[in-house]
Amino acid sequence: MEEAAAAAGAPPPAAAAAPAAASPAAGAEPSPGAAAVSRRRLLVRLGTKFCTWYVWKTIILGQMISLFICGTAVTSQYLAEKYEVNTPMLQSFINYLLILVTYTTMLAFRTGNDSLWQILKQKWWKYIFLALADVEANFVMVKAYQYTTLTSVQLLDCFGIPVLMALSWFILGARYKLIHFIAVAICLLGVGTMVGADILAGRQEGEGSDVVIGDVLVLLGASLYAISNVSEEYIVKNLSRVEFLGMVGLFGTIISGLQLALVENRQIKAIQWNWTVALLFLAFALCMFALYSFMPVVMEVTSATSVNLGILTSDLYSLFFGLFLFYYNFSGLYIVSFVIILVGFIMYISTPTQTSEHTVLPQASSAGQDNAALKLDESDGDAPAVSVKFTRGETVVVSTD
């Protein structure tokens, strides 16, 4: 019988039973080896998504901007608390003047359509509006601290992020995915945790003289910052970084100078000048100049929204300096809030936003050469362009150029 079964091609009884015995029972737990392989695959996928050079580069650049903002906050607070100097418009004027001397001078030496005269002739009113939004955003945000509490400023300042996303949607054509909204919500949760840590650490300083006025000023300042940042992203990605800084420096100096003469005459006359005060003014001006010079570079690589999410950590850096300079109380929630904000930030930048339509950027010229290196760096991993040429005899020649 066994010989006949073998001749007929049927397996012997023992051989037929072996596969059935080897197959796992239905519903049985996977083997430890299979579970380990699944975990490794998951880790590889997460590493591929989050541990890329672009993600780490964006994190580093964003935290550098946060440190510059921290420098401006610490020097301003030191001037106000130790020397009773409260002159935000004077400090802004010095910054715009430095930008004017550096970048507007660079524009003045250009020729052709990218020259200072041609830009002024064609777009002067647009840059006046942009500079006005930037100057007043700095002014009203500082002014808000005189009327409302630190908690209100920190919470309402986040209003600029949804405004920024809406403006990016309509003006820049940005299209967001569900993960972007989740990431923004996580970042705002981190800000809420930071505010809770401030309350526990006793950093609140009274209720302010008029909370309603202060809250309105914060909302106005956040909206003006959003307008300025979206305009900045558009200009640096389609025109050039030098054009943006040169025109903002020119009109920002004029507007802040006029406003300085109107609102801060008495405060400037009351300053008791000494070497320490002069050095603090210099440190503030250098930090602000570095912030304005560096932010367009970061925006060219990323976007205005991701930059604003990344700089939510600046308050925490200011706190860490304040532990030594102003003897703040420390709470473990500060570390928790820092981690939460970074998690949301990484989630946001790990998934690129889409655009409503493909926009072809202008060819690099004297106005765009300052961004050329960054564009080359970002396109290293892109597939080469493919050109197809038709010749006689219906032969197709495909070349990668």
Side-chain angles (χ1 to χ4, degrees), residues 354-365:
Q354 305 296 321
T355 53
S356 59
E357 59 183 7
H358 180 69
T359 304
V360 180
L361 296 178
Q363 295 294 323
S365 63

Side-chain angles (χ1 to χ4, degrees), residues 390-396:
F390 293 92
T391 58
R392 289 186 179 180
E394 296 183 348
T395 302
V396 180

Side-chain angles (χ1 to χ4, degrees), residues 264-278:
E264 285 187 4
N265 255 324
R266 289 183 299 174
Q267 290 88 340
I268 295 174
K269 292 177 181 178
I271 297 176
Q272 301 295 322
W273 290 98
N274 56 51
W275 283 107
T276 306
V277 172

